[in-house]
Amino acid sequence: MFDEIISFIRDTCRQKNGSIPLHAPTFSGREKEYLTACIDDGFVSSVGPAVERFERAVADYTGAAHAVATVNGTAALHVALLVAGVRPGDAVITQAVSFVATANAIAYCGARPIFLDSDRRRLGLSPAALEEFLGEHCRLGDDGRAYHRASGRRVAVCLPMHTFGHPQDLHGLQTLCEPHGIALVEDAAEALGSFYGRRHAGTVGRLGVLSFNGNKTITTGGGGMILTNDAELAAEARHLTTTAKREHRWQYHHDRLGFNYRLPAINAALGLAQMEVLEPLLAKKRARAAAYRDFFDARGLGWVQEPDGCRSNYWLGAVLMADREQRDAFLAHSNARGVTTRPLWGLLHRAPMYADCVTDSLADSRWLEERLVNIPSGVSL
Ligand SMILES: Cc1ncc(COP(=O)(O)O)c(C=O)c1O
């Protein structure tokens, strides 16, 4: 059966020989033109028109009222958590099924992650797990905020991640967060082009974050974006990402501990060209996902499908194997034949720096970890 899968992936990717990457960037638009213009006008760094234009393009596409560009998605997450009110000693509830940056951004704020279980179908933070955790392990303080009973930590933020671009149950999570005074922040790093109902991923919570790393649907080389509908939070995020420098034509006054997190114009120029081809790239990715779905469904293998009522960008296609043994055999077989496949990230609570963090049973996260394999998902135009 593995050979049949490999040959189907090769046919679908139209690549009979050579190695097929998991997700390579596609440069088929005006990238060179915009980069040249950027160099010609001399604005390659943190000032210049390209960054603002890129921010506007992303805000327009996602429907976010404000977009603040950053050097990468991790920096965007760090600052989004800070402006959402995460302080040293706080706790942030997130999922164990994620890339390490999700937890690292929490730790950069001096807070600790609490890792809860993922939904088997959506692959992200389970509202049922959140409900159980809040009910059994948290109390509501006099200030209307939730506190984790055992550690005494305030639960400042809930940070779901839209795994492989599949939108999480934001309504279910929001309904639980609101009465507990917990701010919802979305790690939408993988989800540009994904919609929860009619709303773009990352625009439902108080803040959301995108990544434009080279392995994402579109790339700026390195880059990220903070999305929010709140003008004050956007202004604070902009201030913090630009070394907290007070505006003045020549003086240098920095009124807080800020960060040099602003996206350089040269990266924004690349992003502008990539935004112009986003729709055709998404259309191709959807067509690829539909072909994969038909193939895997016909063979009784679990293709991870976009949730009902949502539109996924299908950033990385995911298949659920029968068990760990079959997963490992398929990973070995496919990678040996030049078809890049990857298992799920190791669950975050096992990383040494997070080994002391609070978790629930993570039963479904472990189930997913044993079975899930990502398959080649990049497209070209
Ligand atoms: C879920 C998730 N969060 C955060 C990030 C961090 O983004 P970046 O690599 O741009 O720092 C990534 C990916 O790269 C990611 O997949």
Side-chain angles (χ1 to χ4, degrees), residues 362-380:
L362 299 178
D364 287 338
S365 307
R366 291 175 216 273
W367 186 90
L368 287 167
E369 185 188 31
E370 288 184 350
R371 292 165 176 78
L372 193 140
V373 178
N374 289 124
I375 57 177
S377 304
V379 290
S380 52

Side-chain angles (χ1 to χ4, degrees), residues 50-357:
V51 184
E52 281 169 29
R53 281 178 55 207
F54 182 50
E55 288 176 335
R56 223 173 305 127
V58 173
D60 287 349
Y61 177 78
T62 59
H66 307 276
V68 179
T70 58
V71 285
N72 56 52
T74 311
L77 262 183
H78 179 194
V79 168
L81 291 174
L82 287 176
V83 305
V86 177
R87 296 292 171 259
D90 281 345
V92 172
I93 291 178
T94 190
Q95 56 201 62
V97 172
S98 191
F99 178 60
V100 71
T102 311
N104 285 352
I106 297 168
Y108 296 163
C109 299
R112 295 306 283 163
I114 291 175
F115 297 112
L116 298 188
D117 213 356
S118 277
D119 180 275
R120 279 194 192 191
R121 268 183 356 100
R122 296 180 106 113
L123 314 177
L125 189 60
S126 149
L130 179 63
E131 184 170 22
E132 189 178 322
F133 186 82
L134 291 174
E136 290 186 10
H137 298 287
C138 296
R139 64 173 178 81
L140 206 57
D142 295 338
D143 56 359
R145 309 294 299 269
Y147 287 82
H148 177 235
R149 277 211 191 91
S151 65
R153 292 181 191 274
R154 183 181 66 150
V155 182
V157 158
C158 173
L159 180 63
M161 194 276 275
H162 300 295
T163 313
F164 307 135
H166 298 304
Q168 298 309 307
D169 181 356
L170 296 172
H171 177 72
L173 296 170
Q174 185 84 288
T175 307
L176 293 163
C177 288
E178 251 164 32
H180 288 88
I182 300 172
L184 187 69
V185 176
E186 297 168 63
D187 184 344
E190 305 176 353
L192 179 67
S194 297
F195 289 82
Y196 177 79
R198 294 174 134 182
R199 297 179 70 177
H200 193 280
T203 67
V204 177
R206 287 191 81 186
L207 299 122
V209 160
L210 301 171
S211 165
F212 299 100
N213 185 33
N215 64 354
K216 297 297 187 295
T217 301
I218 64 163
T219 186
T220 55
M225 195 73 76
I226 300 169
L227 306 176
T228 183
N229 293 317
D230 183 314
E232 261 178 53
L233 295 183
E236 198 185 345
R238 194 173 297 284
H239 191 55
L240 282 179
T241 53
T242 50
T243 63
K245 182 182 176 298
R246 286 218 304 261
E247 258 189 63
H248 193 282
R249 280 174 63 199
W250 58 81
Q251 281 177 354
Y252 293 96
H253 288 302
H254 303 267
D255 56 14
R256 287 178 64 180
L257 178 62
F259 306 91
N260 182 13
Y261 278 176
R262 184 102 175 125
L263 183 75
I266 199 105
N267 300 87
L270 195 55
L272 276 168
Q274 291 265 285
M275 280 302 286
E276 291 176 357
V277 294
L278 176 60
E279 284 297 0
L281 283 175
L282 288 170
K284 278 210 154 186
K285 284 174 75 65
R286 281 191 79 74
R288 162 83 52 86
Y292 276 154
R293 181 200 58 214
D294 293 347
F295 175 85
F296 288 111
D297 281 359
R299 282 150 190 84
L301 285 165
W303 169 251
V304 179
Q305 180 68 9
E306 67 191 353
D308 291 344
C310 295
R311 191 175 173 84
S312 174
N313 66 0
Y314 285 102
W315 170 53
L316 286 188
V319 187
L320 295 166
M321 295 284 155
D323 51 27
R324 181 186 287 271
E325 206 177 298
Q326 192 185 45
R327 178 202 72 167
D328 289 346
F330 180 63
L331 285 169
H333 191 88
S334 50
N335 285 294
R337 283 155 186 78
V339 172
T340 308
T341 57
R342 290 287 179 266
L344 193 60
W345 310 280
L347 299 185
L348 288 176
H349 71 296
R350 288 208 209 92
M353 56 285 191
Y354 302 121
D356 64 343
C357 289

